[in-house]
Amino acid sequence: MKVILLTEVKNKGGEGDVVDVAPGFANNYLLPQGMAVLATKGNLKQLEQRKHNIAAREENRIADANKMKAQLEALTVKVEVRVGEEGVLFGSVTAQMVADAVKAQADLDIDRRRVEIKNAIKSAGEHTVVVSLYRDIKANLALLVGDEATFATPAEEAAEEAVEAEEATEEAADRKSTRLNSSHVT
């Protein structure tokens, strides 16, 4: 059955494309959802008149997708999860978690359904996921998965070690003074 797509349909085409689909797919999904109209002579004539507007919108969508691709590929998004022993996660990182982290850290809205996680992310560390932006435009998004300890920078770790060393020195001095005080009492 030939239909004219009014919006982008995954694996079928974009706005203004005339595609041949199964009758059940057209009658039960595309037509009721308003995603397509039948490819009649009248609708094809209207499509020819709207081609210029569709082409302009298509250019804008491609430009926006390329801009977002550049922004996403420049990011390293931190996804905070509970981590067990040896860097193994309790559960796994989901597409919704990735979308929420991008929104929180970069103020970019991405649809969770467009986040493609090839293999389940079940370990702490650096991972890469693919985000489908528009048609063939996909961005590789770098993820840093872990808990607060994973995200600690070397400077923060050095500061924590310095504090711990100072506390250990103070404890040793307290123990020494306690020993000296107890030896004078007897």
Side-chain angles (χ1 to χ4, degrees):
M1 172 180 268
K2 287 208 180 287
V3 294
I4 302 170
L5 297 178
L6 300 177
T7 61
E8 179 186 5
V9 178
K10 189 173 185 177
N11 297 329
K12 296 297 178 197
E15 181 182 8
D17 291 349
V18 179
V19 294
D20 195 18
V21 296
F25 184 57
N27 291 329
N28 297 325
Y29 183 69
L30 294 177
L31 298 175
Q33 295 287 331
M35 299 172 89
V37 294
L38 292 173
T40 62
K41 285 184 181 182
N43 287 341
L44 289 170
K45 193 171 190 177
Q46 284 180 346
L47 175 65
E48 290 302 319
Q49 293 172 349
R50 293 183 19 221
K51 280 284 189 189
H52 177 70
N53 294 338
I54 292 170
R57 281 195 297 269
E58 182 77 9
E59 286 178 24
N60 288 338
R61 288 183 189 127
I62 289 172
D64 291 344
N66 283 326
K67 179 181 171 191
M68 185 173 249
K69 177 182 178 179
Q71 291 174 330
L72 288 175
E73 289 185 343
L75 285 176
T76 298
V77 178
K78 293 180 180 177
V79 179
E80 193 165 323
V81 292
R82 287 184 47 206
V83 179
E85 291 182 23
E86 299 179 18
V88 178
L89 304 184
F90 291 100
S92 63
V93 175
T94 63
Q96 184 65 52
M97 294 167 79
V98 173
D100 291 344
V102 170
K103 175 67 176 165
Q105 295 171 29
D107 199 32
L108 294 173
D109 286 322
I110 58 172
D111 187 1
R112 67 173 174 78
R113 293 173 292 220
R114 295 192 174 270
V115 177
E116 300 172 9
I117 300 176
K118 300 275 188 244
N119 298 321
I121 299 173
K122 295 187 176 202
S123 62
E126 292 188 31
H127 300 277
T128 303
V129 295
V130 176
V131 180
S132 295
L133 298 171
Y134 184 71
R135 293 197 178 197
D136 296 344
I137 302 172
K138 297 180 181 205
N140 292 319
L141 178 63
L143 296 180
L144 185 59
V145 178
D147 55 7
E148 291 177 12
T150 307
F151 298 145
T153 63
E156 291 173 349
E157 289 176 5
E160 288 177 17
E161 289 175 8
V163 169
E164 289 173 6
E166 187 175 316
E167 288 173 357
T169 306
E170 288 175 6
E171 283 181 30
D174 287 343
R175 273 189 257 129
K176 186 175 181 181
S177 67
T178 305
R179 271 190 276 137
L180 290 175
N181 289 339
S182 64
S183 67
H184 290 296
V185 173
T186 57

